[in-house]
Amino acid sequence: MRPLFCVGIAIFIINYLKIKTVDTQSYKTVSLNKATVKKEWVVIDATDLALGRLAARVALVLRGKTKPGYTPHVDCGDNVIVINAEKVILKGNKMTDRVYVHYTGYPGGQRFTTPKEILAKRPTELVRMAVKGMLPKTRLGDDILHNLFIYAGPEHPHQAQNPKEIKLNEI
């Protein structure tokens, strides 16, 4: 009985020493910085997509959370082009019942608008507001928002960047 116990302890010690001698160079965490980030251009077609789902996925790509080297304090996301923003949908009665409020800065200057009115005047603004609400409320969030390009129709002037088209469910 005693020799088996000693063999068990010897195996435990050998395994313990093996764990201690593992090369830890391969376990280093790599943090990206502005110089090492590789940005790409992607196109998302917003035709018949729900506004909130679209905005959430666009915010993920803008932040860089879809990349393996995501670093929270660095703008490591891709440049996103959203086309057909005027064809985005809101389900239920949200198009008329939801109210956006802003203040002009003057007494009695509180203004109310609905998504229907916003789509009629500036169709790209509705998507921009939804994505902005899902980004950090910091200087980094403001910088990330500059990587978003929204167009009401199917045409965009960024063909020279060779953007790749991605589907919403592939993100």
Side-chain angles (χ1 to χ4, degrees), residues 31-52:
S31 291
L32 298 177
N33 59 30
K34 198 171 189 176
T36 60
V37 171
K38 185 181 177 208
K39 290 182 160 287
E40 296 177 356
W41 286 78
V42 296
V43 175
I44 298 177
D45 189 2
T47 304
D48 296 331
L49 295 178
L51 176 65

Side-chain angles (χ1 to χ4, degrees), residues 56-68:
R57 299 298 170 91
V58 169
L60 280 178
V61 175
L62 284 172
R63 287 284 316 264
K65 287 191 169 189
T66 58
K67 294 184 175 185

Side-chain angles (χ1 to χ4, degrees), residues 93-157:
N93 294 328
K94 294 178 194 164
M95 194 66 85
T96 55
D97 291 351
R98 180 177 286 171
V99 177
Y100 291 103
V101 180
H102 76 277
Y103 182 64
T104 63
Y106 290 97
Q110 195 173 23
R111 303 288 185 252
F112 305 96
T113 54
T114 63
K116 190 172 188 176
E117 294 168 358
I118 294 172
L119 274 176
K121 291 180 183 175
R122 298 181 319 261
T124 61
E125 192 62 27
L126 193 63
V127 176
R128 181 174 307 282
M129 288 180 351
V131 172
K132 183 179 180 180
M134 296 183 184
L135 291 175
K137 281 48 170 191
T138 60
R139 285 181 288 183
L140 177 63
D142 294 340
D143 291 342
I144 290 172
L145 195 61
H146 291 299
N147 298 332
L148 177 64
F149 303 90
I150 306 170
Y151 298 99
E155 303 296 325
H156 64 84

